[in-house]
């Protein structure tokens, strides 16, 4: 089950949160071949974030518990960036994406290692 965490320094209203969650879940499900209903999405706005001296709007997206080859990074970028450009008007060069492999992570459920 993939976990997508979006953090941004912008205010994100509840209507936009719903739209972003749905679109990010669909994009990640498509790339990872998971069921859309199994992609968890968390959206956090109004974060105190900035890149160096820039006051521009930005976003950090962390995708956990997935297996994506590095050569698919452009495909992932092209799936996620338009969602945030459209919903938050954040330019793609201000969107940072981190992918954390499930092979290198230990997930615990009810005290057992999965």
């Amino acid at each position: 089950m993939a976990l997508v965490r979006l953090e941004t320094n912008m205010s994100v209203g509840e209507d936009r949160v719903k739209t972003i969650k749905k679109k990010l879940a669909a994009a990640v499900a498509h790339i990872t071949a998971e069921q859309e209903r199994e992609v968890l999405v968390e959206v956090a706005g109004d974060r105190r974030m900035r890149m160096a001296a820039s006051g521009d709007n930005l976003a950090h997206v962390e995708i956990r518990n997935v297996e994506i080859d590095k050569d698919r990074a452009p495909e992932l970028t092209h799936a996620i960036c338009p969602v945030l450009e459209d919903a938050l008007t954040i330019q793609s060069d201000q969107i940072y994406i981190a992918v954390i492999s499930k092979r290198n992570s230990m997930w615990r459920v009810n005290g057992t290692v999965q």
Side-chain angles (χ1 to χ4, degrees):
M1 183 175 297
L3 169 62
V4 181
R5 287 187 173 145
L6 165 64
E7 293 182 295
T8 180
N9 58 353
M10 296 184 63
S11 293
V12 185
E14 199 56 39
D15 287 342
R16 279 203 269 182
V17 167
K18 288 178 184 178
T19 300
I20 291 167
K21 284 182 174 182
K22 182 176 180 171
K23 289 183 177 183
L24 283 180
V28 171
H30 176 72
I31 300 295
T32 62
E34 290 196 30
Q35 296 292 320
E36 190 174 327
R37 70 182 189 284
E38 294 181 356
V39 178
L40 304 175
V41 181
E42 176 183 306
V43 177
D46 292 318
R47 295 292 202 208
R48 292 183 179 178
M49 303 166 52
R50 72 185 300 143
M51 180 55 87
S54 171
D56 293 342
N57 292 327
L58 58 92
H60 180 266
V61 180
E62 181 180 278
I63 305 169
R64 291 182 162 269
N65 202 31
V66 295
E67 287 302 323
I68 302 172
D69 293 330
K70 288 182 182 180
D71 63 342
R72 294 190 71 198
E75 185 181 352
L76 182 65
T77 299
H78 293 301
I80 290 175
C81 287
V83 171
L84 301 181
E85 288 174 341
D86 183 50
L88 299 174
T89 62
I90 296 176
Q91 299 301 309
S92 60
D93 64 347
Q94 297 292 48
I95 299 169
Y96 307 92
I97 302 170
V99 177
I100 300 169
S101 165
K102 65 182 172 184
R103 265 187 267 159
N104 298 324
S105 301
M106 291 180 65
W107 287 75
R108 295 188 178 268
V109 179
N110 296 330
T112 60
V113 176
Q114 297 287 318

